[in-house]
Amino acid sequence: MSPCAQLVWLDPPSAQSGFPFPSCTQSKGERGRAAAAAAMWPPDPEPDPDREPAGRSQPHAALPGLRALLPARAFLCSLKGRLLLAETGLSFITFVCYVASSASAFLTAPLLEFLLALCFLFADAMQLNDKWQGLCWPMMDFLRCVTAALIYFAISITAVAKYSDGASKAAGVFGFFATIVFAIDFYLIFNDVAKFLKQGDSADETAADKAEEENSDSDSD
C-alpha cells in the first residue's frame, strides 16, 4: 500500500476528533504543523455525568450535627413532650399578647414561664435528668407547674376583668388555656411521684418482713 493510501485511511478519525491529520493533498510542512498542533492541544476528556463538582458540598454532611441538638421524635410524640410543647407555645403567645396590650405589667410572668418550659423541654429531650441525678427533677418540675398554673390563673382573671382592649382579652384567654395545661402537667407529675413513693414503701416493707422472718428463724434454731 502506498503512503498516500495510508494517509487516506487517517481521514475519518480526523473528522471525528476535530484535529487535522495529514492527507494526500497536504504538503510536508502542513502535515508537520498539523501533527504538532494535535500533540500540543489534545482533545478534552468527556465529563463524567455521575461525578459531582468538587466545589459542591454534600447537603447531608451537616445534618448529624444538627440532629444531635434537636429533640427526639419519640419524646415529642409522648405525653410529656406534648405538654411541654404546649406550655412553651402558650407562654410565648401570652407574652406577645401582653406586650401588645395595655396590661404590659404582666408580661414578666409568661416570659419566665416560657424560658422555664423551654429549659425543661431541652433537659428532658437530652435526658439530662438521667445524667444529673443529684437534682430532684420531678419535684422541680412539679413546683414549676404549680406556680405557673396559679400565676396564670391570677393574671388572666385580672387581664380579662380590668382591661378592655382586645390584646388583654386575648392574653387572658391564652392564659386560661395555659393554666389548664400546667394543671394537667402537675397532676400527672403528682401521680408519678405518688406511685414511685408507694413502690419504695412496699419495697421497704418487704425487706423488713424478710428481716423479721430471718430473725424469727434464727431465734427458733
Side-chain angles (χ1 to χ4, degrees), residues 80 120 136-148 182 185-191 193:
K80 183 62 178 178
F120 272 85
C136 188
W137 290 96
M139 186 58 64
M140 292 170 59
D141 198 9
F142 178 77
L143 293 177
R144 177 186 69 88
C145 294
V146 170
T147 54
F182 279 104
D185 198 0
F186 82 72
Y187 176 74
L188 295 176
I189 295 171
F190 178 77
N191 288 338
V193 172

Side-chain angles (χ1 to χ4, degrees), residues 49-59 61:
D50 298 333
R51 185 177 179 182
E52 294 184 356
R56 185 180 298 174
S57 61
Q58 296 290 335

Side-chain angles (χ1 to χ4, degrees), residues 13-218:
S14 66
Q16 297 176 0
S17 61
F19 293 96
F21 283 87
S23 61
C24 295
T25 59
Q26 291 178 338
S27 63
K28 290 183 179 180
E30 293 177 352
R31 289 196 296 268
R33 288 193 295 272
M40 291 177 62
W41 293 286
D44 296 331
E46 295 182 358
D48 191 0
D50 298 333
R51 185 177 179 182
E52 294 184 356
R56 185 180 298 174
S57 61
Q58 296 290 335
H60 302 288
L63 286 180
L66 295 176
R67 286 177 180 174
L69 300 176
L70 296 177
R73 183 178 297 179
F75 173 73
L76 295 178
C77 294
S78 64
L79 180 59
K80 183 62 178 178
R82 292 176 181 177
L83 287 173
L84 284 172
L85 285 176
E87 292 167 4
T88 305
L90 289 172
S91 298
F92 181 76
I93 295 172
T94 308
F95 168 72
V96 173
C97 291
Y98 276 120
V99 169
S101 68
S102 58
S104 58
F106 299 141
L107 62 87
T108 306
L111 178 60
L112 291 176
E113 297 301 334
F114 167 72
L115 295 176
L116 287 175
L118 193 63
C119 291
F120 272 85
L121 175 63
F122 179 77
D124 289 344
M126 298 293 107
Q127 297 180 353
L128 296 180
N129 51 357
D130 296 333
K131 298 178 182 179
W132 299 342
Q133 296 182 358
L135 300 175
C136 188
W137 290 96
M139 186 58 64
M140 292 170 59
D141 198 9
F142 178 77
L143 293 177
R144 177 186 69 88
C145 294
V146 170
T147 54
L150 294 176
I151 291 172
Y152 270 122
F153 184 72
I155 65 175
S156 298
I157 291 178
T158 306
V160 171
K162 290 187 176 182
Y163 296 92
S164 59
D165 58 312
S168 299
K169 302 290 186 183
V173 171
F174 284 111
F176 283 124
F177 285 126
T179 303
I180 295 172
V181 174
F182 279 104
I184 294 173
D185 198 0
F186 82 72
Y187 176 74
L188 295 176
I189 295 171
F190 178 77
N191 288 338
D192 293 338
V193 172
K195 290 179 182 178
F196 178 76
L197 293 176
K198 287 181 180 179
Q199 291 177 357
D201 293 338
S202 61
D204 293 338
E205 289 178 359
T206 53
D209 293 338
K210 288 181 180 179
E212 290 178 359
E213 291 178 357
E214 291 177 356
N215 293 330
S216 62
D217 293 336
S218 61

